[in-house]
Amino acid sequence: MSVWGITGLPEIAPRDDLVAIIAGAVTTQAATDPDLALQSGDILVVTSKIVSKSEGMQVPAAEREQAIAADTVRVVAERVHPGGNFKIVETRQGLVMAAAGIDMSNVPEGVALRLPADPDASARALCAGLRQRLGMNIGVIITDTIGRAWRVGQTDMAIGAAGLQLTDDLRGANDANGRPLHVTQAVIADEIAGAADLVKGKTTGIPVAVVRGMGRFVRDLDAPGARSLTRTGDDDMFRFGSAEAYRLGYEAAMAEIKAKSVKQDEMP
Amino acid sequence: MSVWGITGLPEIAPRDDLVAIIAGAVTTQAATDPDLALQSGDILVVTSKIVSKSEGMQVPAAEREQAIAADTVRVVAERVHPGGNFKIVETRQGLVMAAAGIDMSNVPEGVALRLPADPDASARALCAGLRQRLGMNIGVIITDTIGRAWRVGQTDMAIGAAGLQLTDDLRGANDANGRPLHVTQAVIADEIAGAADLVKGKTTGIPVAVVRGMGRFVRDLDAPGARSLTRTGDDDMFRFGSAEAYRLGYEAAMAEIKAKSVKQDEMP
């Protein structure tokens, strides 16, 4: 597997044609190094930031809090800090992350940037456009930088995807000894997103990377998107932060007791 | 960045010398393809399974439940299923994961395998041995396959590491526009672990991969290990599953009410 960044992309503005811009940068790069020309089976990994910028998801920095509220389906956990509240929320994209993914780095002063409204749709449009323009069968992953429970820091994960199988579902498969691999479903889309981050970085201004060697996962455009990687609802054992769930339990018990005592008071 | 698997490793048994075995396989592979000879700055990514096997962490499959209990510091969340209980626990290695990482795939019939007791120590021993034997400055990551809250499936993460800087700490750094990147601490050790999983796979019998191109993160042997990537204690907003925390809150309220009513009964 080899992974490299696409250089020479300009700063992206609303209504920019990302297909044309990325295809142009790829062609320019290939002119100086033919090994970097795209091939069928390559996967383009695109930082959500430039997708948001091209889709006009900029809001004034002063409206950041309102934008977080607008993109929040529900608050998962919250901590009050002297510098302001830290909120982990479920976003309308189905992601659980800090501040609904609204970011103020790598954007001009005074601007905050929302995530693409439908990153899978954005990925499909990019993938369809690039496949047609380049005449080859590539896959597209749109990434964002996301924290994890129980681990420090963040890694890049797939928040949108098109033309790819996203997991290597080994449930039912056998291991190297021929024994069943019961629970393993390797999320290769997230592993590819992280691999691409290693060459993109956050301070280099390289928002797109190519991953070569994973062509066995390239599929038709109608393959399920990254929304299928989110786990919400009944399967989610961490639907609330511990403090929030504790408080809900405490309040439920108090409400029960109160209802009982009202009932007793009502007795003749 | 380029990533490839090391082929030709034998099945590993207790007391096998992993340094000698891996160095031998690398040399054999380099004989057929000189590009695959290791270089200073390369990172070796080793599946914890073969480390556990060489360290004799096998237990009889019938003692799997006792082994899970022995490796568990505390239960984080639990679900009762018809097929048995599903437990997410904090392990003695500081990891939060299902079944304390005890696994029955890719091991002989009738055997379960515990994680290495101290994966950072294992990584340091491997790294020191390989650096000495090969005469070059490589890094080592030991990986395991771990599920995440709010996402389906699993990815490989770093559970042990040596000779490497594990995060690209951008707190205080500036983005491409010169603005501060407040909260970003990219966990490159986990991104490298995931990248290596893409070429190792779980059904191929390739437990070691080489990642080339990340030499800027190679450090001295005394750099902090992967234990520093775990987040437990006060910083952990998801110390318990939602159902478990809810129950704790409910029981606390009931105990409070009971204590109050006992006090009232004791009044003259």
Side-chain angles (χ1 to χ4, degrees), chain A residues 179-211:
Chain A
R179 295 188 49 205
L181 274 164
H182 283 300
V183 294
T184 306
Q185 185 186 16
V187 184
I188 55 133
D190 285 339
E191 294 183 332
I192 291 171
D197 185 46
L198 292 166
V199 305
K200 290 189 298 186
K202 305 215 166 18
T203 55
T204 52
I206 297 180
V208 184
V210 181
V211 174

Coordinates of all heavy atoms in Angstrom, one line a residue, chain A residues 179-211:
Chain A
R179 N -10.4 -21.4 12.0 CA -11.4 -21.3 13.0 C -12.2 -20.0 12.8 O -11.7 -19.0 12.3 CB -10.8 -21.3 14.4 CG -10.1 -22.6 14.7 CD -9.6 -22.7 16.1 NE -10.6 -22.3 17.1 CZ -10.4 -21.8 18.3 NH1 -9.2 -21.6 18.7 NH2 -11.4 -21.5 19.1
P180 N -13.5 -20.0 13.2 CA -14.3 -18.8 12.9 C -13.9 -17.6 13.7 O -13.5 -17.6 14.8 CB -15.7 -19.3 13.4 CG -15.5 -20.5 14.2 CD -14.2 -21.1 13.9
L181 N -13.9 -16.4 12.9 CA -13.6 -15.1 13.5 C -14.9 -14.5 13.9 O -15.5 -13.8 13.1 CB -12.9 -14.2 12.4 CG -11.4 -14.3 12.2 CD1 -11.0 -13.7 10.9 CD2 -10.7 -13.6 13.4
H182 N -15.4 -14.7 15.1 CA -16.8 -14.4 15.4 C -17.2 -13.0 15.3 O -18.2 -12.7 14.7 CB -17.1 -14.9 16.8 CG -17.3 -16.3 16.9 ND1 -18.2 -17.0 16.2 CD2 -16.6 -17.3 17.6 CE1 -18.2 -18.3 16.5 NE2 -17.2 -18.5 17.3
V183 N -16.4 -12.1 15.8 CA -16.9 -10.7 16.0 C -16.2 -9.7 15.1 O -16.5 -8.5 15.3 CB -16.8 -10.3 17.5 CG1 -17.8 -11.1 18.3 CG2 -15.4 -10.4 18.0
T184 N -15.3 -10.1 14.3 CA -14.4 -9.1 13.7 C -15.1 -8.5 12.4 O -15.4 -9.2 11.5 CB -13.1 -9.7 13.4 OG1 -12.5 -10.3 14.5 CG2 -12.1 -8.6 12.9
Q185 N -15.2 -7.2 12.4 CA -15.6 -6.4 11.3 C -14.7 -5.2 11.2 O -14.9 -4.2 11.8 CB -17.1 -6.0 11.5 CG -17.7 -5.3 10.3 CD -19.1 -4.7 10.6 OE1 -19.4 -4.6 11.7 NE2 -19.8 -4.3 9.5
A186 N -13.6 -5.4 10.5 CA -12.6 -4.4 10.4 C -13.1 -3.2 9.6 O -13.5 -3.4 8.4 CB -11.3 -5.0 9.7
V187 N -13.0 -2.0 10.2 CA -13.5 -0.8 9.5 C -12.4 -0.2 8.7 O -11.7 0.7 9.1 CB -14.2 0.2 10.5 CG1 -14.8 1.3 9.8 CG2 -15.2 -0.5 11.4
I188 N -12.2 -0.8 7.5 CA -11.1 -0.3 6.7 C -11.2 1.1 6.2 O -10.2 1.8 6.0 CB -10.9 -1.3 5.5 CG1 -12.2 -1.3 4.7 CG2 -10.5 -2.7 5.9 CD1 -12.0 -1.2 3.2
A189 N -12.5 1.6 6.1 CA -12.7 3.0 5.7 C -12.0 4.0 6.8 O -11.4 5.0 6.4 CB -14.1 3.4 5.6
D190 N -12.2 3.6 8.1 CA -11.5 4.5 9.1 C -10.0 4.3 9.1 O -9.3 5.2 9.3 CB -12.1 4.1 10.5 CG -13.5 4.7 10.7 OD1 -13.9 5.7 10.0 OD2 -14.2 4.2 11.6
E191 N -9.6 3.0 8.8 CA -8.1 2.8 8.8 C -7.5 3.5 7.6 O -6.4 4.1 7.7 CB -7.8 1.3 8.8 CG -8.3 0.6 10.1 CD -8.0 -0.9 10.2 OE1 -7.9 -1.5 9.1 OE2 -7.8 -1.3 11.3
I192 N -8.2 3.6 6.5 CA -7.7 4.3 5.3 C -7.7 5.8 5.6 O -6.8 6.6 5.3 CB -8.5 4.0 4.1 CG1 -8.3 2.5 3.6 CG2 -8.2 4.9 2.9 CD1 -9.2 2.0 2.5
A193 N -8.8 6.3 6.3 CA -8.8 7.7 6.6 C -7.6 8.1 7.5 O -7.0 9.2 7.3 CB -10.1 8.0 7.4
G194 N -7.3 7.3 8.5 CA -6.2 7.5 9.4 C -4.8 7.5 8.6 O -4.0 8.3 8.8
A195 N -4.7 6.5 7.7 CA -3.5 6.4 7.0 C -3.2 7.7 6.1 O -2.1 8.2 6.1 CB -3.5 5.2 6.0
A196 N -4.3 8.2 5.5 CA -4.2 9.4 4.7 C -3.8 10.6 5.6 O -3.1 11.4 5.1 CB -5.5 9.6 4.0
D197 N -4.3 10.6 6.8 CA -4.0 11.8 7.7 C -2.5 11.8 7.9 O -2.0 12.9 8.1 CB -4.8 11.6 9.0 CG -4.6 12.8 9.9 OD1 -4.7 14.0 9.4 OD2 -4.3 12.7 11.1
L198 N -1.9 10.7 8.0 CA -0.4 10.7 8.2 C 0.4 11.4 7.2 O 1.4 12.0 7.5 CB 0.1 9.2 8.3 CG -0.4 8.4 9.5 CD1 -0.2 6.9 9.4 CD2 0.2 8.9 10.8
V199 N -0.1 11.5 5.9 CA 0.6 12.2 4.9 C 0.0 13.6 4.7 O 0.6 14.5 4.2 CB 0.7 11.5 3.5 CG1 1.3 10.1 3.7 CG2 -0.7 11.4 2.9
K200 N -1.3 13.8 5.1 CA -1.9 15.1 4.9 C -1.5 16.0 6.0 O -1.0 17.2 5.7 CB -3.5 15.0 4.9 CG -4.0 14.3 3.7 CD -5.6 14.4 3.6 CE -6.2 13.7 4.8 NZ -7.7 13.7 4.7
G201 N -1.6 15.6 7.2 CA -1.3 16.5 8.3 C -2.2 17.6 8.4 O -3.1 17.8 7.5
K202 N -2.1 18.4 9.5 CA -3.1 19.5 9.7 C -2.4 20.9 9.5 O -3.1 21.9 9.5 CB -3.7 19.4 11.1 CG -4.3 18.0 11.3 CD -5.5 18.1 12.2 CE -6.2 16.7 12.1 NZ -5.4 15.6 11.6
T203 N -1.1 20.9 9.4 CA -0.4 22.2 9.3 C 0.2 22.4 8.0 O 0.8 23.4 7.7 CB 0.7 22.2 10.4 OG1 1.5 21.1 10.2 CG2 0.1 22.2 11.8
T204 N 0.0 21.4 7.0 CA 0.7 21.4 5.8 C -0.1 22.0 4.6 O 0.5 22.3 3.6 CB 1.1 20.0 5.4 OG1 -0.1 19.2 5.4 CG2 2.1 19.4 6.4
G205 N -1.4 22.2 4.8 CA -2.2 22.7 3.7 C -2.4 21.6 2.6 O -2.6 22.0 1.4
I206 N -2.3 20.3 2.9 CA -2.5 19.3 2.0 C -3.8 18.6 2.3 O -3.8 17.7 3.3 CB -1.3 18.3 1.9 CG1 -0.1 19.0 1.4 CG2 -1.7 17.1 1.0 CD1 1.1 18.1 1.3
P207 N -4.9 18.9 1.7 CA -6.2 18.3 2.1 C -6.7 17.1 1.4 O -7.7 16.5 1.8 CB -7.2 19.5 1.9 CG -6.6 20.2 0.7 CD -5.1 19.9 0.7
V208 N -5.9 16.6 0.5 CA -6.3 15.4 -0.3 C -5.1 14.4 -0.4 O -4.0 14.9 -0.7 CB -6.8 15.7 -1.7 CG1 -7.3 14.5 -2.4 CG2 -7.9 16.8 -1.7
A209 N -5.4 13.1 -0.1 CA -4.3 12.1 -0.3 C -4.9 11.0 -1.2 O -6.1 10.8 -1.3 CB -3.9 11.6 1.1
V210 N -3.9 10.2 -1.7 CA -4.3 9.1 -2.5 C -3.8 7.8 -1.8 O -2.6 7.8 -1.3 CB -3.6 9.1 -3.9 CG1 -4.0 7.9 -4.7 CG2 -3.9 10.4 -4.6
V211 N -4.6 6.8 -1.7 CA -4.2 5.5 -1.1 C -4.3 4.5 -2.2 O -5.3 4.3 -2.9 CB -5.2 5.1 0.1 CG1 -4.8 3.7 0.5 CG2 -5.0 6.1 1.2

